[in-house]
Amino acid sequence: MNSIGEECTTLKRNYEDCFNKWFSEKFLKGNNEDDCAPLFKVYQTCVKKAIKEKNLDLDCMEKDVLGTEFEKPPPPVSK
Amino acid sequence: MVKYYTSTALFKYTWDQVAIALWQRYPNPYSKHVLSEDVVHREVINGKLYTKRLLTKTNPMPRWGEHFVRGPRHICVVEESIVDPKNKSLTTYTRNIGMQKLLTIIEKCDYIQNPENLRTTQCNRWAWFQSSFYGFRRALQAFGVERYKSNVTKNVKGFNTTLEQLFMTDIPQQTKTKQKLTEKAKHAVDLAKSKTQPLLTSSSQLP
């Protein structure tokens, strides 16, 4: 899948190849040691720049909702 | 007034397989409306993986709205997720950014082992629809719900396509063709039987 910044797509794919391997072979088996940090850093630098150039609402994007008081409670179960 | 929608889907794959496939489900034949996908934050805290992804999607307006409302052609969606491998739980929480006053759609999905069959995975889904656009609130919310229901169907089909591609490729080549045909037929039946029980309700009591 393409990145929001075309110039970041290759960096994204390099990172994803590493992440997918780490996730299935290490993380799911209880090993949290991060193998992909350098690739992630390079990818993030690129994508954050691309997001800024598109004038997206960064505050809204960076706000954490899941697991906080802002999260919507489940709707009532209908009888 | 907030509209909401709940549903349950069953994936004939283990929780681990579903968790692996979550990160690889785009693109798929049913995701032409998804234009880009990026991880914008990720870290492991106390053995759980916290991720934030930014997706851009096409943003079709209802035809009656195109004359009144100038919305952007693409919409941005943020998906937060927590993967807990110890308890085998995976939760995603998705919301649109930009255009919230026009229509806000929030979706939460819990992927857990199916308690009736631990080799399969249950997806419990909730969605909330809210608009504060004067004069069109109900119509926009209703439009949002209908489009969402259509997208949920595509989401489940697309996710199943990814799961098939990832976990059906270990079969030895000589038996692959015969098994593929059998599995395709079985898969079609399974999909038809998959537990999707939409409960559509509106409520005036929700804040």
Side-chain angles (χ1 to χ4, degrees):
Chain A
M1 189 75 237
N2 291 335
S3 169
I4 194 170
E6 274 182 45
E7 66 279 14
C8 308
T9 296
T10 304
L11 298 173
K12 174 179 184 271
R13 286 190 185 139
N14 291 343
Y15 165 67
E16 280 175 344
D17 287 344
C18 181
F19 170 79
N20 288 328
K21 193 168 152 54
W22 169 83
F23 186 80
S24 58
E25 293 177 13
K26 290 197 174 175
F27 178 72
L28 288 182
K29 294 172 182 170
N31 181 348
N32 297 338
E33 200 180 314
D34 187 2
D35 296 338
C36 309
L39 290 170
F40 187 59
K41 193 174 174 185
V42 169
Y43 163 49
Q44 287 296 283
T45 303
C46 184
V47 96
K48 294 281 162 73
K49 181 170 175 278
I51 288 169
K52 211 169 175 182
E53 284 168 2
K54 294 202 186 282
N55 294 316
L56 295 179
D57 186 346
L58 280 176
D59 287 341
C60 188
M61 190 183 82
E62 287 172 358
K63 180 181 175 185
D64 291 334
V65 178
L66 178 60
T68 72
E69 58 183 326
F70 301 108
E71 187 186 324
K72 287 266 193 202
V77 177
S78 60
K79 293 179 185 174
Chain B
M1 188 171 112
V2 177
K3 272 192 177 294
Y4 55 88
Y5 175 89
T6 64
S7 69
T8 299
L10 189 70
F11 295 96
K12 308 280 186 184
Y13 295 88
T14 65
W15 182 87
D16 280 40
Q17 288 172 329
V18 168
I20 289 167
L22 183 79
W23 311 114
Q24 304 183 57
R25 62 183 173 170
Y26 299 123
N28 66 68
Y30 301 93
S31 73
K32 290 189 170 48
H33 60 293
V34 179
L35 303 170
S36 74
E37 172 228 356
D38 283 290
V39 174
V40 294
H41 181 81
R42 179 170 270 157
E43 63 180 318
V44 176
I45 303 171
N46 296 328
K48 296 180 191 176
L49 182 70
Y50 290 75
T51 301
K52 197 173 280 182
R53 288 200 285 185
L54 176 71
L55 296 98
T56 59
K57 301 185 178 184
T58 56
N59 181 39
M61 280 291 291
R63 286 206 179 164
W64 50 262
E66 280 169 8
H67 299 294
F68 305 106
V69 179
R70 281 186 197 173
R73 286 169 53 206
H74 304 149
I75 192 161
C76 291
V77 167
V78 170
E79 176 206 78
E80 294 173 68
S81 61
I82 303 174
V83 183
D84 181 351
K86 193 176 167 189
N87 296 311
K88 296 215 186 289
S89 88
L90 190 168
T91 303
T92 64
Y93 192 90
T94 307
R95 55 196 166 87
N96 55 300
I97 56 172
M99 292 186 64
Q100 283 108 318
K101 281 185 184 165
L102 196 66
L103 183 64
T104 295
I105 302 178
I106 294 170
E107 178 197 75
K108 183 176 178 183
C109 298
D110 274 342
Y111 296 86
I112 54 171
Q113 286 181 303
N114 176 14
E116 293 172 17
N117 178 354
L118 298 181
R119 297 287 302 165
T120 61
T121 303
Q122 195 172 300
C123 169
N124 299 317
R125 197 184 297 257
W126 302 262
W128 295 262
F129 307 84
Q130 189 164 12
S131 173
S132 51
F133 195 77
Y134 181 74
F136 292 94
R137 184 169 53 226
R138 283 178 198 241
L140 279 167
Q141 284 177 176
F143 168 76
V145 169
E146 289 310 305
R147 191 180 72 189
Y148 174 78
K149 279 157 68 177
S150 161
N151 282 345
V152 165
T153 304
K154 285 194 271 187
N155 179 288
V156 172
K157 284 182 180 175
F159 208 165
N160 271 311
T161 304
T162 302
L163 285 159
E164 269 183 49
Q165 284 172 351
L166 286 173
F167 301 110
M168 294 273 295
T169 53
D170 296 334
I171 301 166
Q173 195 60 37
Q174 59 269 28
T175 60
K176 194 172 180 179
T177 308
K178 187 179 172 186
Q179 281 208 13
K180 205 171 179 178
L181 288 170
T182 310
E183 284 298 326
K184 265 192 175 173
K186 183 176 180 302
H187 182 62
V189 171
D190 286 345
L191 270 181
K193 283 183 185 175
S194 70
K195 295 174 189 175
T196 304
Q197 298 146 4
L199 303 170
L200 178 62
T201 323
S202 63
S203 170
S204 56
Q205 276 101 27
L206 288 181

